[in-house]
Amino acid sequence: MDKDTHSQQMSIFEKYDYPSYEEIIDAYSKEFETYVLPKGNTVFGFWMQTLADLEFLDLELQGLTEEYTINPVDRVVNLKGDDDFIRLRIAHLEKVNGEKTLYTDFVDKFGDTNAYAFHNLYPYKGKFYPRVVRTLINAFKLNSQSLLLDPFNGSGTTTHEASLMGIKSVGIDVTPMGIVLSSLKNDLLFIDEQKLNFSIKELYDIAVAIENKKWQYEDPVIYKLMLIVYFDTIDAFERTSRYNRKGKTGLFIEKYNYIINCYKKTIEIKNNNALNFESSQIIESDVLELKNIREMEGKFDACITSPPYYFSIDYVGKDKIAYDYLGADMKKIESRYLGMKNKGNPKENYSGLPLRVAMYYDDLKVSIENIFWALKPGGKLAIIIGDSTVNGKKIPTTMVTKKFCEEVGFKFNKLIFNPLLGVRNRAIRGESIIICEKEN
Ligand SMILES: C[S@@+](CC[C@H](N)C(=O)[O-])C[C@H]1O[C@@H](n2cnc3c(N)ncnc32)[C@H](O)[C@@H]1O
């Protein structure tokens, strides 16, 4: 400590050294740390906030370790297993045996617990949390030999997270926008960096070409990427006047550079950890017609998925900018949506629930039947679902889903309720993860 920072004072008895401001702060920080930081070598991630997170950690440890105990007060875990493997896979620990986990690396590099790699490529409505997918992949003990299915793959959170974890997957969705986004997230993991290099002038010209509907490019990945960045730009631009000074092209360039940054960070993490990314297969199809793809029968080790929650979000409408630009028929896309196809009578009565809800439930049940058909014996299922309200009436989709799972032959295993923090609509409160198994 620098002597000059001390102030010396004389009392009538003797001379005192008063601590400097830096010394006081240092002592304060050390004491404060004992309350704030977990105590140990294998510690909770700071992103663990809810009881559901504690359940997720428990599920992951069941899948990844030989033995473990969780000490929630000190926020530490005692575990036995392959430390390196656990470090690369786990989503709820910050450190394993003193070493940062791969997930912490993602969080630190991207400054976010969800927007890492290409998960944040585009704000797709109803997207779920990559951390939950990672947790379930761990809980289901999937490895490089496994095959994972998401028949409501949307923007591809399941398939992208599986790819990052070196697990093969198939993603199915009925909407063209979902297909474009999920295949882009996949392709960007394997693209040659040079293909992504564009000067500011080139990017400016590309933005103008897209605006004038004159955009053409030989490489289909770059072609689609530029369109997605453009749609995202227009969407942001239309929602707020915040970007007026930057202009559309300025914002387009900024958003493109963000994607390049994501690419660089992702590849750096891949190289630093010698990761092996796996490719995913993306198919535009209807889950209700899954059985037409004969080779899918009994093919999958697990399914992690989230059907549209009834009426909670206008999924297609959100992508109006893109569909208008591409000249796609939104009504036709919407008509392929779960619950929108049948114009006849519902197969079941569902004790007087509104007709459109009954139609949706009919379709939901067929979807679950088809998932059962596509899984291997012993295959695992996780469905993420929430309840919604129609005309002020609560629609019990969570419990109906659990009932359907059991009716088609699944063994119900567990339900984890995940509260959505900060959600203003208290009627929804959160979503549930229903875990089931197709018994051998
Ligand atoms: C809740 S979102 C899933 C979002 C996804 N988990 C993600 O992270 O982006 C539901 C998805 O189901 C799709 N979908 C609706 N009806 C479908 C059907 N009949 N077959 C396949 N997919 C369908 C929608 O296009 C939408 O992307």
Side-chain angles (χ1 to χ4, degrees):
M1 177 54 62
D2 183 353
K3 271 217 168 105
D4 295 344
T5 59
H6 291 240
S7 58
Q8 292 195 339
Q9 291 204 4
M10 297 287 286
S11 77
I12 50 171
F13 302 110
E14 54 187 310
K15 204 168 73 173
Y16 284 113
D17 251 355
Y18 281 88
S20 68
Y21 179 70
E22 285 78 7
E23 282 173 314
I24 294 170
I25 289 293
D26 198 43
Y28 165 84
S29 308
K30 281 210 179 88
E31 189 183 345
F32 193 51
E33 251 179 30
T34 64
Y35 297 103
V36 174
L37 295 180
K39 304 160 189 62
N41 285 330
T42 300
V43 300
F44 286 20
F46 69 83
W47 47 91
M48 282 192 57
Q49 296 183 4
T50 64
L51 283 177
D53 288 335
L54 206 54
E55 288 198 70
F56 289 145
L57 171 67
D58 193 48
L59 270 186
E60 284 198 290
L61 292 169
Q62 284 173 34
L64 295 174
T65 68
E66 291 160 32
E67 293 177 17
Y68 66 93
T69 49
I70 298 175
N71 173 347
V73 174
D74 289 340
R75 283 170 287 145
V76 295
V77 166
N78 254 315
L79 56 81
K80 213 173 118 194
D82 178 346
D83 280 2
D84 281 339
F85 172 69
I86 300 167
R87 193 184 67 74
L88 291 176
R89 295 279 299 251
I90 203 151
H92 287 87
L93 294 181
E94 200 160 318
K95 285 183 189 162
V96 171
N97 223 341
E99 269 207 64
K100 260 210 247 179
T101 59
L102 174 71
Y103 191 81
T104 308
D105 217 9
F106 274 127
V107 173
D108 286 350
K109 279 228 164 54
F110 285 83
D112 196 294
T113 53
N114 286 305
Y116 55 87
F118 297 108
H119 281 301
N120 205 29
L121 179 66
Y122 186 83
Y124 193 77
K125 280 284 158 150
K127 188 157 75 173
F128 55 34
Y129 301 120
R131 173 151 55 98
V132 174
V133 176
R134 181 167 280 259
T135 300
L136 293 164
I137 287 179
N138 287 333
F140 293 163
K141 300 187 187 199
L142 303 187
N143 57 37
S144 57
Q145 305 306 310
S146 313
L147 189 59
L148 174 64
L149 170 70
D150 187 346
F152 297 102
N153 195 38
S155 65
T157 308
T158 302
T159 43
H160 195 49
E161 193 63 13
S163 297
L164 296 172
M165 295 174 77
I167 287 153
K168 293 185 209 67
S169 60
V170 175
I172 293 173
D173 203 277
V174 85
T175 48
M177 197 56 179
I179 298 302
V180 170
L181 292 170
S182 47
S183 46
L184 248 186
K185 284 180 191 171
N186 179 60
D187 296 338
L188 287 171
L189 286 181
F190 303 99
I191 200 167
D192 181 354
E193 186 170 359
Q194 281 179 345
K195 288 192 178 175
L196 294 168
N197 285 337
F198 290 91
S199 66
I200 300 278
K201 163 88 176 66
E202 285 169 321
L203 288 172
Y204 181 87
D205 291 344
I206 291 169
V208 173
I210 300 177
E211 179 91 15
N212 295 327
K213 301 215 167 166
K214 295 223 162 69
W215 168 236
Q216 284 177 335
Y217 203 75
E218 222 171 57
D219 188 307
V221 179
I222 302 295
Y223 175 77
K224 283 187 267 178
L225 175 62
M226 294 298 182
L227 282 181
I228 292 301
V229 174
Y230 176 80
F231 296 150
D232 191 19
T233 302
I234 301 300
D235 182 48
F237 218 78
E238 285 187 358
R239 268 186 291 118
T240 148
S241 56
R242 227 175 50 218
Y243 304 114
N244 283 358
R245 276 186 54 202
K246 240 177 233 153
K248 269 188 216 165
T249 34
L251 188 59
F252 174 86
I253 293 169
E254 190 178 296
K255 284 188 179 285
Y256 184 77
N257 285 335
Y258 166 77
I259 303 294
I260 300 307
N261 234 321
C262 290
Y263 175 85
K264 290 191 172 141
K265 289 179 195 165
T266 306
I267 298 301
E268 192 185 328
I269 290 180
K270 177 182 189 240
N271 294 339
N272 287 348
N273 293 281
L275 302 179
N276 176 34
F277 291 163
E278 261 304 342
S279 190
S280 59
Q281 192 191 352
I282 307 296
I283 303 171
E284 184 170 345
S285 182
D286 183 339
V287 65
L288 302 178
E289 286 157 23
L290 197 64
K291 287 183 180 167
N292 292 343
I293 317 177
R294 295 272 355 137
E295 70 270 19
M296 297 240 167
E297 182 172 10
K299 190 171 166 178
F300 295 92
D301 297 276
C303 170
I304 299 174
T305 197
S306 174
Y309 304 176
Y310 193 66
F311 295 129
S312 58
I313 301 172
D314 176 11
Y315 294 98
V316 181
K318 165 69 189 61
D319 295 321
K320 188 172 174 348
I321 293 168
Y323 289 131
D324 280 354
Y325 186 94
L326 299 170
D329 182 346
M330 281 175 64
K331 281 265 163 296
K332 200 165 157 203
I333 295 169
E334 216 166 44
S335 72
R336 299 180 73 198
Y337 239 71
L338 215 64
M340 305 293 273
K341 208 171 311 166
N342 279 317
K343 290 278 174 278
N345 290 325
K347 284 188 217 132
E348 280 189 46
N349 159 316
Y350 305 107
S351 350
L353 281 174
L355 178 71
R356 47 193 186 158
V357 180
M359 300 292 217
Y360 168 79
Y361 282 167
D362 271 357
D363 281 358
L364 184 63
K365 183 157 185 194
V366 176
S367 316
I368 296 173
E369 249 164 35
N370 289 354
I371 293 170
F372 186 85
W373 168 87
L375 285 174
K376 286 180 187 166
K380 308 280 200 301
L381 166 67
I383 296 192
I384 295 145
I385 192 101
D387 294 337
S388 53
T389 316
V390 174
N391 305 336
K393 204 171 163 191
K394 187 157 174 161
I395 305 300
T397 306
T398 309
M399 285 303 140
V400 169
T401 305
K402 173 181 177 278
K403 180 170 155 278
F404 287 162
C405 287
E406 289 172 312
E407 280 173 7
V408 308
F410 280 109
K411 177 175 167 271
F412 170 74
N413 216 321
K414 200 177 179 60
L415 187 149
I416 298 178
F417 180 72
N418 192 16
L420 295 177
L421 303 176
V423 169
R424 290 176 79 190
N425 180 353
R426 302 308 291 166
I428 294 177
R429 285 178 184 264
E431 59 195 8
S432 296
I433 296 144
I434 297 171
I435 301 177
C436 297
E437 186 174 343
K438 176 175 176 175
E439 285 182 294
N440 276 309

